[in-house]
Amino acid sequence: MLSWSPVSAQIVAPSRSRKTSKLVILGASGSIGTSTLDILSRSPGEIELVAVSVHSSLPRLAEILTCFPSIKFAAITGTQPPESLTEFSKKFAGVKFFWGVHAAAELLNAARSEKADTVISAVVGAAGIAPTLRAIELGYKIALANKETMVTAGPVIERALASSKDASIVPVDSEHNALFQLLLGLDAPHLKLAILTASGGPFLNRTPAELKQVRRQDVLNHPTWSMGPKITVDSAGLINKGLEIIEAMHLFAIPLNRLDVLIHPVSHVHALVETADGFRFMANRPSMLFPIAHALYFPQSPPVYPDVVTRPEAWPALEFRKVDPVQFPGFALCMEAARNGGTAPAIFNAANEIAAGLFLDGLIQFTDIPVLLEMVLSASKIEQGSELGLYLEADARARESAYAQSKRLTKVEEVV
Ligand code: NAD
Ligand code: MG
């Protein structure tokens, strides 16, 4: 039977009383990390920041540690020369530092021993899988922005959550956070369709010939959202929306045939649910402050941000239209991976992480991204199962395959 219990098992009515929580931010230097810090600064004393991770930016970490003296633990998850880390850590005597491959897990352990209860996972890519699983084992409430974890290892995360007494996930992705709120109090059999919206990105009205000419800065110029580089590339080809469909399947246990996407260029409506009596939707101006604050404060009510809210009479006209899969081949391939299930989403996601990285490094064209994805998918064997190792192996093989196959694509300088 249709149900969204895996994630929303701990749903209770929002309460008005304020209870302080202690927070860990994984990926504090990124776009979601920065918006999270903004939320904390707007309501000082309500959420205590005790631990942060960054991958590589020591200058940004120094700024964060200076602005938030409550931080007791910090992790640097990427490789850095050991001397620079020792020098850096001397400047912040009250902070315990972790680095190396297990840094995020050690950070989560240490923060939990100091009664941290909430973690926001704002890292990018399947690198988020291990810390998410550790956070579940430790019984954290996880505000999950990192969609690649659900796409790659959804069945494993679902199983880990089901066997945890305390852990829960509240989605941060704006569409999924909206859906989470829309599904509260709605009995599963009454849901006809859950619809995620997509802005359509910067190339909604471009022809295939025009798309061949787009440059890095055109792709990174998203019309409605300001985000990190990888998700911005994903959004330009609607691949982000395909990933979000898979994310929704796992977060809410909604089958693919009850999920749909509508293009909605102004990004004010984030999700809709269709029931027998019509459509309900969740709308506000495109700002990640709303879903992040909702997830951090849930089950309490989030603060109000009058400077960010706009009233409906000031909204642009709300237009919706179907996606043309021919116009967005990466989206069509992702939907095929969703239909195939098993390791297909993990293969798609890993190949896409490589493809987006190659594009951002100027090594392949934007239109080569779906070409490379198709090459990797057609050369890969899809397997079914629920063991973490199966998904991690599929991820690793797809990355190798994507690197190898990318050599067959035309070099960027030969066509520009
Ligand atoms: P970003 O690139 O701005 O930030 C990524 C963060 O992850 C940085 O702090 C970086 O230091 C860290 N990081 C990078 N590689 C890492 C690795 N291998 N291991 C551990 N940490 C690593 O990305 P973002 O836009 O903030 O997005 C973060 C996640 O949230 C993505 O999964 C994205 O799809 C999702 N998301 C983002 C938005 C948004 O508005 N930015 C909206 C919805 C969902
Ligand atoms: Mg989204």
Side-chain angles (χ1 to χ4, degrees), residues 30-298:
S31 165
I32 293 284
T34 302
S35 299
T36 305
L37 295 170
D38 182 17
I39 285 167
L40 303 190
S41 305
R42 283 165 176 262
S43 307
E46 292 197 351
I47 295 176
E48 184 185 336
L49 182 59
V50 293
V52 291
S53 83
V54 302
H55 199 52
S56 53
S57 175
L58 295 185
R60 181 68 188 129
L61 178 58
E63 281 171 11
I64 295 170
L65 293 176
T66 307
C67 290
F68 292 87
S70 58
I71 298 173
K72 294 190 175 70
F73 308 105
I76 296 126
T77 50
T79 37
Q80 298 267 347
E83 326 71 77
S84 67
L85 293 173
T86 315
E87 273 311 300
F88 182 84
S89 60
K90 278 188 200 151
K91 293 185 207 141
F92 298 95
V95 180
K96 182 165 170 47
F97 287 88
F98 303 96
W99 45 77
V101 278
H102 302 299
E106 287 166 350
L107 183 85
L108 289 166
N109 295 345
R112 194 70 174 133
S113 67
E114 289 287 319
K115 309 253 179 306
D117 48 20
T118 306
V119 49
I120 177 157
S121 179
V123 304
V124 60
I129 295 172
T132 304
L133 285 169
R134 186 73 195 128
I136 293 172
E137 275 166 24
L138 291 166
Y140 279 99
K141 179 186 100 177
I142 302 158
L144 187 72
N146 171 237
K147 69 191 73 178
E148 295 90 348
T149 282
M150 284 316 250
V151 173
T152 303
V156 182
I157 304 290
E158 280 183 48
R159 215 185 44 231
L161 272 175
S163 58
S164 163
K165 191 164 62 66
D166 302 312
S168 61
I169 290 184
V170 183
V172 166
D173 212 340
S174 53
E175 300 77 2
H176 304 71
N177 183 270
L179 203 48
F180 180 88
Q181 297 189 51
L182 289 166
L183 292 174
L184 281 176
L186 180 71
D187 288 337
H190 292 243
L191 176 73
K192 287 174 73 178
L193 200 59
I195 302 169
L196 309 181
T197 61
S199 71
F203 308 132
L204 186 54
N205 300 314
R206 301 270 179 110
T207 63
E210 286 169 337
L211 273 187
K212 285 212 170 292
Q213 310 303 323
V214 301
R215 297 156 305 165
R216 190 178 186 276
Q217 63 263 41
D218 304 321
V219 173
L220 291 181
N221 187 20
H222 196 276
T224 53
W225 294 100
S226 164
M227 309 176 283
K230 191 261 180 186
I231 182 175
T232 308
V233 175
D234 289 349
S235 298
L238 240 69
I239 283 173
N240 181 52
K241 212 49 57 182
L243 298 176
E244 290 186 355
I245 286 286
I246 302 171
E247 183 187 11
M249 290 169 75
H250 294 297
L251 282 173
F252 305 110
I254 301 179
L256 190 55
N257 63 4
R258 293 210 187 185
L259 284 162
D260 201 4
V261 173
L262 283 176
I263 301 251
H264 169 56
V266 295
S267 302
H268 273 55
V269 174
H270 306 297
L272 306 90
V273 295
E274 184 183 3
T275 59
D277 52 358
F279 293 85
R280 309 170 187 188
F281 63 78
M282 174 83 200
N284 48 39
R285 179 176 145 181
S287 163
M288 287 308 293
L289 284 191
F290 300 115
I292 298 172
H294 174 269
L296 292 183
Y297 280 85
F298 187 84

